[in-house]
Amino acid sequence: MSEEQNFDEPLNIEALKTGDRHELAKMVELYSDQVYRVALKMLNNPSDAEDVLQETFIKAMRAIKNFQERSTISTWLYRIAVNESLMFLRKQKPEAVVIEEEPQNNEDQDYSAIQVVDWCCLPEKEFLSSESRAHLNEAIQNLPAKFRSVFILRDIEGLSIRETAEALNLTETNVKTRLLRARMRLREDLTQYYGERMAEVKNE
Amino acid sequence: MNKVHHCKELVSSLSDYVDGSLSEELCLELEKHLLDCENCTVVVNTLKKTIDIVQEQKTQDKIPSDVKQRLFYRLNLAEFGKEETP
Ligand SMILES: [Zn+2]
């Protein structure tokens, strides 16, 4: 994966397990970007993300002795980062997590809510503005946590369906279902947002 | 409205479709439908665009260097945290 391109050699798992400081530092160097990104997207708050980042690596360093090599270090760290983020959310807003546990199986409702506005033709700068980026982060933040984690790993971090399933301890079918929901909800949100922008751009 | 009903059924395959992982059979069926369903075409295009926008932003999210230094410090690996030159 691309994170490894600055380093000639992959991590030495045996050295990690014996607590070799150079190797641990290398693990942090290689994977702190991805862990921070996940935490930031899960929590949408830099200071909370930093807490989760630190907790993730502290847990990882404690648990590395038990690391099973059927997974990669990368996937394993993703798993810890998502779990730490969820734990953080549970502590902060227990009521929000409870609401998300409720089943949401009404597919028909999903379709009737679909808005059809073709906003793809907006000028590219519309998608790059800082306002637009802030809105996107908020929209991701508004996804229920169980959809959000799937979306972040698959569409932001670029994991395969199988890797996402492995990291989150879900079946591949489950990942696909949640991914579809997450993407459609986000599309819905952006359609609302850019639909309004289209009307404004026309009047500018 | 038979057509709307068809649209509804196809929604569940859109995610696989934009990933290019839809079975050939379903893919053909969907593409045939897209030829004369403007609404679904817009949904597919905006869905693709949504994913594109998300991926374009990704590169801008790097860990700030002060956050990284504090991380090394917190992990008792402070001596490794300072090599970076911007
Ligand atoms: Zn249709």
Side-chain angles (χ1 to χ4, degrees):
Chain A
M1 271 209 277
S2 60
E3 285 92 349
E4 294 186 17
Q5 65 198 187
N6 300 328
F7 295 83
D8 328 69
E9 284 168 39
L11 284 172
N12 180 333
I13 308 284
E14 282 317 305
L16 277 178
K17 288 189 173 187
T18 61
D20 181 291
R21 294 170 60 77
H22 272 96
E23 212 58 26
L24 289 170
K26 191 168 159 187
M27 175 174 83
V28 175
E29 195 62 55
L30 281 168
Y31 298 114
S32 52
D33 277 328
Q34 73 173 48
V35 169
Y36 183 71
R37 234 172 8 233
V38 166
L40 195 57
K41 293 293 176 194
M42 283 298 288
L43 307 169
N44 202 21
N45 174 316
S47 128
D48 295 348
E50 182 168 355
D51 282 355
V52 164
L53 169 77
Q54 295 185 352
E55 279 308 309
T56 297
F57 278 102
I58 289 169
K59 291 258 162 79
M61 280 167 67
R62 263 186 225 145
I64 189 76
K65 289 190 287 290
N66 309 318
F67 174 74
Q68 307 279 322
E69 284 185 54
R70 58 195 158 77
S71 164
T72 62
I73 290 281
S74 171
T75 308
W76 181 69
L77 285 171
Y78 275 128
R79 178 199 292 249
I80 302 174
V82 169
N83 285 341
E84 286 301 315
S85 301
L86 292 174
M87 216 161 355
F88 191 96
L89 287 172
R90 236 168 262 141
K91 256 185 267 166
Q92 285 231 306
K93 303 185 277 186
E95 72 288 350
V97 178
V98 172
I99 292 164
E100 284 168 11
E101 304 293 338
E102 283 172 25
Q104 311 188 2
N105 289 325
N106 202 336
E107 303 239 10
D108 288 354
Q109 200 182 13
D110 280 359
Y111 195 82
S112 59
I114 285 184
Q115 301 181 72
V116 182
V117 179
D118 192 359
W119 46 268
C120 294
C121 52
L122 275 167
E124 200 59 21
K125 68 171 166 51
E126 287 291 330
F127 306 119
L128 303 171
S129 73
S130 56
E131 195 201 316
S132 161
R133 299 214 327 256
H135 178 81
L136 178 63
N137 285 332
E138 213 175 286
I140 293 172
Q141 181 63 26
N142 284 337
L143 293 171
K146 63 177 186 180
F147 296 168
R148 189 157 79 244
S149 53
V150 169
F151 180 78
I152 291 169
L153 294 190
R154 172 75 181 122
D155 281 343
I156 300 182
E157 297 302 308
L159 269 61
S160 67
I161 297 286
R162 197 183 56 75
E163 289 166 330
T164 307
E166 199 181 299
L168 299 176
N169 224 354
L170 295 170
T171 64
E172 292 187 29
T173 311
N174 220 322
V175 167
K176 284 187 172 196
T177 310
R178 291 184 188 194
L179 183 64
L180 172 72
R181 294 286 173 81
R183 286 170 164 179
M184 290 301 279
R185 280 187 189 219
L186 199 61
R187 190 208 72 91
E188 210 51 42
D189 188 307
L190 295 193
T191 297
Q192 179 76 38
Y193 181 79
Y194 288 118
E196 283 165 21
R197 278 304 297 155
M198 271 176 73
E200 285 165 26
V201 167
K202 228 179 260 172
N203 295 329
E204 267 167 21
Chain B
M1 286 256 296
N2 208 3
K3 194 172 148 195
V4 171
H5 186 68
H6 201 47
C7 297
K8 226 186 258 182
E9 283 169 3
L10 290 175
V11 166
S12 61
S13 44
L14 291 187
S15 194
D16 282 346
Y17 178 68
V18 300
D19 279 346
S21 62
L22 199 59
S23 74
E24 209 180 317
E25 190 190 348
L26 276 173
C27 192
L28 283 173
E29 194 189 329
L30 178 62
E31 283 178 345
K32 205 174 121 216
H33 176 80
L34 290 178
L35 282 178
D36 52 28
C37 180
E38 215 171 300
N39 281 1
C40 281
T41 305
V42 169
V43 172
V44 167
N45 289 342
T46 48
L47 185 62
K48 278 186 190 159
K49 187 72 186 175
T50 297
I51 299 167
D52 282 351
I53 292 173
V54 170
Q55 287 173 346
E56 272 164 29
Q57 276 202 25
K58 175 190 166 175
T59 46
Q60 292 160 341
D61 285 325
K62 280 219 149 196
I63 184 170
S65 59
D66 57 327
V67 174
K68 195 168 175 178
Q69 285 208 9
R70 286 196 292 273
L71 174 63
F72 276 113
Y73 186 81
R74 180 81 200 275
L75 299 173
N76 293 322
L77 295 167
E79 73 269 31
F80 298 101
K82 299 194 174 126
E83 304 150 17
E84 222 172 278
T85 40

